[in-house]
């Protein structure tokens, strides 16, 4: 039986796509990378990922818009995938914008391998303690 997708990455920047590929490639998790929010929305419906790393600023459909669309679909399905917003904007309140859009967490750029691995453990790990401390 084919294994399901662990991590969907939505990121339009090629350098950051490479960074994600290098870090995630060493984890053993099954991941896919798409280049805009529209494709992320499509991939969410087709691949049913266990978590999503969502760049905020992308062409065609931003990460915030894609997250809102995913949350609408989920409201009908009664499911909720963890979405971690990824953004280079060091603006104060950026994390709040991600959370307001329906994201669960936030990962700042430049992407640090340690910080990314911590997010994977937090949202893919089955440890209830990790989830209880979320937020
Ligand atoms: Mn971007």
């Amino acid at each position: 039986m084919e294994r399901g997708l662990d991590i969907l990455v939505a990121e339009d920047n090629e350098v950051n796509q490479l960074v994600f590929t290098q870090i995630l490639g060493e984890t053993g998790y099954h991941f896919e990378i798409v280049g805009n929010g529209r494709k992320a929305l499509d991939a969410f419906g087709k691949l049913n990922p266990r978590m999503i790393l969502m760049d905020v600023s992308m062409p065609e459909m931003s990460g915030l818009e894609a997250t809102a669309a995913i949350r609408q679909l989920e409201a009908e399905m009664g499911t909720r995938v963890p979405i971690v917003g990824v953004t280079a904007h060091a603006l104060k309140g950026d994390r709040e914008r991600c959370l307001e859009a329906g994201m669960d967490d936030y990962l700042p750029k430049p992407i640090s391998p340690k910080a990314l691995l911590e997010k994977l453990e937090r949202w893919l790990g089955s440890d209830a303690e990790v989830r209880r401390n979320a937020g």
Side-chain angles (χ1 to χ4, degrees):
M1 188 186 289
E2 189 169 344
R3 194 174 143 206
L5 185 66
D6 294 310
I7 306 162
L8 173 64
V9 180
E11 168 63 66
D12 62 307
N13 180 279
E14 289 182 13
V15 173
N16 285 321
Q17 288 180 350
L18 258 174
V19 171
F20 278 120
T21 299
Q22 287 175 346
I23 300 170
L24 297 177
E26 292 180 3
T27 63
Y29 285 121
H30 184 192
F31 66 98
E32 288 276 340
I33 299 179
V34 296
N36 66 52
R38 177 82 55 199
K39 289 178 179 171
L41 186 55
D42 289 345
F44 163 75
K46 288 174 185 158
L47 302 174
N48 190 29
R50 291 175 58 206
M51 79 174 284
I52 301 175
L53 293 163
M54 184 80 83
D55 181 27
V56 168
S57 179
M58 291 186 287
E60 293 205 36
M61 183 184 260
S62 75
L64 300 176
E65 292 170 320
T67 296
I70 287 169
R71 292 304 184 220
Q72 272 193 342
L73 291 173
E74 288 181 323
E76 296 163 19
M77 300 187 295
T79 59
R80 187 178 171 98
V81 64
I83 301 179
V84 177
V86 184
T87 176
H89 304 158
L91 296 173
K92 199 178 169 189
D94 217 38
R95 181 175 180 278
E96 285 67 26
R97 280 174 65 226
C98 288
L99 300 182
E100 277 170 19
M103 294 173 173
D104 300 287
D105 202 351
Y106 168 84
L107 179 68
K109 291 180 188 175
I111 297 150
S112 118
K114 183 171 181 287
L116 175 53
L117 294 175
E118 282 172 4
K119 298 304 181 191
L120 303 188
E121 187 177 349
R122 179 176 181 182
W123 295 106
L124 292 177
S126 57
D127 188 349
E129 188 71 29
V130 173
R131 290 179 182 276
R132 197 157 47 238
N133 291 335

